[in-house]
């Protein structure tokens, strides 16, 4: 399953009300490190399909949720379980580190 785009309007249904863990990647088009990790997140999304969802939120188009969460730097990833943030990671990292972090939290 490919990554899913979420918006301020869909955040409640897509993330908080999800029955599976959801990793939200807060990103922006102008962010170089965000673009560097995007392919890795797509691959991890495929590899962990069925176990979790990886969602992407463009902070420029959707300022409300990132503002409420205090997102100040990107890429910023937050893993939600049962509607609550349980872990977060700031900055780019190799795919192996991203996957290891995600799997350790599932």
């Amino acid at each position: 399953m490919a990554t899913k785009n979420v918006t301020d309007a869909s955040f409640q249904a897509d993330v908080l009300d999800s029955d599976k863990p959801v990793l939200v990647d807060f990103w922006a088009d102008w962010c170089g490190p965000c673009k560097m990790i995007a392919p890795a997140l797509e691959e991890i999304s495929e590899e962990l399909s069925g176990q979790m969802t990886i969602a992407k939120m463009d902070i420029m188009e959707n300022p409300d949720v990132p503002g409420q969460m205090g997102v100040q730097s990107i890429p910023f990833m937050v893993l939600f379980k049962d509607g609550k943030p349980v872990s977060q990671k700031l900055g780019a990292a190799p795919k192996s580190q991203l996957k290891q972090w995600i799997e350790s939290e599932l």
Side-chain angles (χ1 to χ4, degrees), residues 6-11 24-28 30 56-72 74 76:
V6 294
T7 64
D8 284 335
S10 71
F11 188 79
V24 180
D25 171 29
F26 294 96
W27 72 285
W30 48 262
K56 298 177 70 69
M57 177 174 271
D58 185 331
I59 65 166
M60 302 306 289
E61 294 179 10
N62 303 282
D64 295 346
V65 170
Q68 291 165 7
M69 296 207 50
V71 176
Q72 296 182 349
I74 54 173
F76 185 65

Side-chain angles (χ1 to χ4, degrees), residues 32-106:
C34 298
K35 291 181 178 181
M36 287 172 44
I37 65 169
L41 291 176
E42 291 289 340
E43 290 175 17
I44 294 168
S45 179
E46 294 289 337
E47 292 165 12
L48 299 180
S49 179
Q51 297 178 55
M52 66 169 307
T53 300
I54 296 182
K56 298 177 70 69
M57 177 174 271
D58 185 331
I59 65 166
M60 302 306 289
E61 294 179 10
N62 303 282
D64 295 346
V65 170
Q68 291 165 7
M69 296 207 50
V71 176
Q72 296 182 349
S73 297
I74 54 173
F76 185 65
M77 293 161 276
V78 181
L79 183 64
F80 289 84
K81 278 187 184 174
D82 300 318
K84 296 178 177 52
V86 295
S87 186
Q88 59 190 35
K89 185 169 187 62
L90 175 63
K95 177 187 172 188
S96 60
Q97 287 181 14
L98 291 172
K99 188 171 182 185
Q100 183 178 25
W101 167 64
I102 293 166
E103 288 179 327
S104 74
E105 298 292 339
L106 290 181

